[in-house]
Amino acid sequence: RVSAMSALGIVTGAFGTVWSVVATVLRGLFGFLNDFKAAASVAIFGWCVGLFVGTVIVRHWRRAVARLERESARKLAAEGVKSRRKDIPNPLPPDVIEVALKHIPRWARDPDWNRAAFLNRVLDALWPHVDTSVCEVVRDSVEPILRDLVPRNIVHWIGFEKLTLGPTPPTIGGVKVLGSSSDDVVLELELQWASGADFVLAAYVFGVRVPVRLSDVQLVAAVRVHFTPLVDELPCLGGLEVSLLGMPDHLDLAAVVPPGVDLMALPAMDVLLPWILRKIIGPMFVYPSRMIIPIMDNSGLEPHATGMIKVRVRGGYNMHKRRKDGKATGLVLPGSKLIGFGGERYQVRLYTREQRKVMLKSKSRDEPTWDELHYFLANPESTLHCILLTMNMRELGRCEIPMRLLCDPSREGKTANLHLPIEDPTPFHEPEPEPPVPPKRATAADIERLNKEYALAMKNHREKLARLRLEQLAKAKLPEPRPNTPTVAIDLEYVPIGAGKSRRTSLAGIAGITSVASPGAKTVSGEEEEEEEEEE
């Protein structure tokens, strides 16, 4: 019992010791936490106050800096205005500045003008070929005229002994594109040319050589080039119209006559040359005068119309005739079905010019009735085309009749009743002969032979096509439509341009034409016409 009591006392003393230690540690930890909480609260509060105060200070500082910058800029602007009002002495004389401005490219002076580096590169590459072509054209066109003008008993020979534009192409200082459409393009170019051109024109008068030499041409001028018309066929350009926008800003050349006298070195030539330019070159080339350079035949346009044909389409016949004795009538395209619609719709197209094609109302009957009136420009070289089409624009047949006999002025006011036969279109679609390509080592005789063969083939092709059209015209003049042949019946009247009173009467029913007289012409009323008739 005594040992048990002693052990219990020992345990109790140990537990009391441990508890006192733990209590001491806990009291220290709780005290530390209380002190840390107070310190953290103070720190967080201080940080918040510092951020707020710093933000306010920075904002006010930025406002102050911006206000100072505005004031300094206002002061600088005021000082600049004051300085601009003062007369600043020009280091260069006015005449030097005027001469210098002439040599500045137009694109640097005018914002409407653009650089032309691409055009200069193209012109540099093409210049050797342009030089050769232009010289050949000038030689072939000018020499015959000169030889016809001079008396042959005095001048035995006259022509160009030397003709070249020189190795240096013109330089385009700037380009300006004016408002253009799908039919034309207008460019204004600043042309600068310091050339090595050399033209030597010699004439042998009583056997004595008399040469005239022009060389070293220097030119600065503004040129307008009008590309018109733009067409759908290669080379896609019908022609050019070139004109000067004004007298050249600078022109100088060397003109040497026997016995080696330079005319430009003579006194008063600096005054005489501008006068010659104004009197001779001005009326010929200064806008609105222009030089027309055709590129395609008739500049890619339709031939000039001498009159108008009034076509009244009455109706059709034999549209159901598609077989005869179980065989096709011949109105068949290769690989296509027989003509004849069997209730399907079809349409007819009429035209004399490619730019204006008229489509009649679609029909499905075997003997349709149109009763439509249309007008077409024409001349003796025109051809009236009548084409029969399916609704998906597949051609089934056609008729082409020449207008040479129908557009005669003697037929004015007369109506021709025609029955246009719609026949196989295959002969009309035969392609034209292609131009021959001479071999690499072909001689001049070989090239001439190939050209003659090509000309003969083209002549035969045109004659064959003309025979086909004349045959169809003879069939169309028959009083009744041909059996077993689809036919379109029309009434055709030719109205020549400038036909006077009869022309006014014939064109009175044309819708959309308000006046057919030239600008400035007086309109003749009905009362005035009656007075004219009474006077006659």
Side-chain angles (χ1 to χ4, degrees):
R1 182 179 298 180
V2 173
S3 60
M5 291 297 293
S6 59
L8 182 61
I10 294 171
V11 171
T12 303
F15 181 76
T17 305
V18 172
W19 174 253
S20 61
V21 173
V22 171
T24 304
V25 172
L26 290 176
R27 283 195 300 270
L29 181 60
F30 283 120
F32 173 75
L33 290 176
N34 290 331
D35 297 339
F36 178 77
K37 180 179 179 181
S41 300
V42 173
I44 292 172
F45 179 76
W47 291 342
C48 292
V49 172
L51 289 175
F52 176 75
V53 174
T55 303
V56 173
I57 293 173
V58 170
R59 185 175 180 181
H60 284 279
W61 176 77
R62 289 183 176 178
R63 286 184 177 180
V65 170
R67 185 166 53 255
L68 293 175
E69 290 179 353
R70 286 195 299 269
E71 292 178 356
S72 60
R74 194 179 300 111
K75 291 180 181 180
L76 291 176
E79 292 177 359
V81 171
K82 293 180 180 179
S83 62
R84 283 197 298 269
R85 292 176 181 175
K86 297 179 181 179
D87 295 333
I88 300 177
N90 197 338
L92 297 177
D95 54 347
V96 175
I97 295 177
E98 183 179 358
V99 174
L101 288 177
K102 293 182 179 180
H103 298 280
I104 296 177
R106 182 67 67 89
W107 59 265
R109 292 175 284 164
D110 193 340
D112 294 335
W113 289 67
N114 300 319
R115 297 187 182 185
F118 169 72
L119 292 179
N120 288 324
R121 289 196 296 268
V122 172
L123 192 59
D124 190 19
L126 296 179
W127 186 248
H129 309 284
V130 173
D131 181 15
T132 304
S133 302
V134 170
C135 292
E136 289 181 358
V137 171
V138 171
R139 190 185 300 273
D140 296 339
S141 58
V142 175
E143 285 186 353
I145 298 175
L146 294 177
R147 289 167 186 169
D148 293 338
L149 293 176
V150 299
R152 297 184 179 181
N153 55 351
I154 299 177
V155 180
H156 299 161
W157 183 88
I158 185 173
F160 290 100
E161 291 184 348
K162 185 177 182 180
L163 187 62
T164 177
L165 298 178
T168 306
T171 300
I172 300 176
V175 59
K176 179 181 179 181
V177 182
L178 302 182
S180 60
S181 61
S182 59
D183 297 331
D184 59 356
V185 175
V186 181
L187 297 182
E188 291 185 359
L189 308 174
E190 184 188 28
L191 198 64
Q192 301 172 358
W193 191 25
S195 71
D198 194 0
F199 310 133
V200 178
L201 179 65
Y204 286 83
V205 182
F206 296 114
V208 179
R209 178 176 176 269
V210 180
V212 177
R213 181 179 182 181
L214 300 178
S215 60
D216 301 331
V217 179
Q218 299 180 12
L219 175 67
V220 178
V223 182
R224 170 175 288 183
V225 182
H226 191 184
F227 299 86
T228 179
L230 303 179
V231 296
D232 297 333
E233 300 178 1
L234 291 175
C236 302
L237 179 60
L240 296 176
E241 295 181 1
V242 182
S243 59
L244 296 175
L245 295 179
M247 298 304 298
D249 297 334
H250 174 74
L251 178 61
D252 190 15
L253 52 87
V256 181
V257 297
V261 178
D262 188 359
L263 296 179
M264 300 304 297
L266 298 177
M269 282 303 298
D270 55 343
V271 178
L272 184 60
L273 181 61
W275 181 84
I276 296 174
L277 292 178
R278 285 195 302 269
K279 294 297 183 180
I280 299 178
I281 298 181
M284 296 174 58
F285 297 106
V286 176
Y287 188 82
S289 300
R290 60 193 183 277
M291 179 177 61
I292 300 176
I293 305 175
I295 296 178
M296 300 177 63
D297 294 339
N298 199 34
S299 295
L301 299 176
E302 295 283 354
H304 178 69
T306 60
M308 180 179 294
I309 58 174
K310 181 170 63 174
V311 179
R312 181 178 293 278
V313 185
R314 300 195 308 270
Y317 302 93
N318 302 325
M319 293 297 181
H320 66 287
K321 298 297 183 181
R322 53 188 180 273
R323 280 186 176 274
K324 182 180 180 181
D325 298 331
K327 297 182 180 180
T329 60
L331 193 53
V332 182
L333 281 174
S336 65
K337 298 181 180 180
L338 299 176
I339 189 170
F341 309 98
E344 296 182 3
R345 303 192 70 84
Y346 55 89
Q347 48 193 351
V348 176
R349 177 189 291 165
L350 295 173
Y351 66 93
T352 58
R353 299 192 170 204
E354 293 291 337
Q355 283 83 358
R356 184 178 183 271
K357 298 181 180 180
V358 174
M359 189 75 71
L360 303 182
K361 293 181 180 179
S362 61
K363 300 290 183 178
S364 61
R365 298 175 56 187
D366 295 334
E367 294 187 359
T369 300
W370 279 286
D371 193 19
E372 297 184 16
L373 180 62
H374 299 284
Y375 297 85
F376 303 93
L377 293 175
N379 57 49
E381 303 300 327
S382 301
T383 302
L384 177 62
H385 298 75
C386 179
I387 304 176
L388 187 62
L389 304 167
T390 61
M391 296 304 294
N392 57 0
M393 305 306 293
R394 182 172 63 91
E395 183 176 352
L396 298 173
R398 69 166 52 208
C399 176
E400 297 183 6
I401 58 174
M403 294 283 101
R404 179 173 295 276
L405 299 178
L406 300 175
C407 289
D408 191 271
S410 61
R411 294 191 54 84
E412 178 189 351
K414 298 180 181 179
T415 302
N417 300 324
L418 302 177
H419 297 88
L420 306 181
I422 307 299
E423 297 181 343
D424 184 11
T426 305
F428 296 97
H429 290 311
E430 291 186 3
E432 294 183 354
E434 296 183 358
V437 180
K440 295 182 178 179
R441 298 183 179 181
T443 61
D446 295 336
I447 296 176
E448 184 178 0
R449 178 179 55 80
L450 291 175
N451 292 334
K452 288 183 178 180
E453 292 177 354
Y454 173 69
L456 181 61
M458 286 294 298
K459 180 181 178 182
N460 294 335
H461 176 78
R462 295 193 186 100
E463 290 180 352
K464 181 180 179 180
L465 191 60
R467 284 195 299 269
L468 288 173
R469 290 171 176 172
L470 288 175
E471 291 175 359
Q472 287 202 329
L473 177 60
K475 297 174 183 178
K477 288 184 176 181
L478 296 176
E480 297 293 335
R482 300 181 65 202
N484 303 322
T485 301
T487 304
V488 177
I490 65 171
D491 295 334
L492 188 145
E493 179 185 353
Y494 175 64
V495 183
I497 294 178
K501 178 182 175 182
S502 60
R503 173 171 175 259
R504 292 195 300 268
T505 304
S506 300
L507 295 180
I510 301 179
I513 298 181
T514 58
S515 175
V516 294
S518 60
K522 296 181 179 180
T523 305
V524 181
S525 62
E527 297 178 358
E528 294 174 349
E529 290 181 2
E530 293 177 0
E531 293 177 359
E532 291 177 359
E533 292 177 359
E534 292 177 359
E535 292 176 359
E536 292 177 359

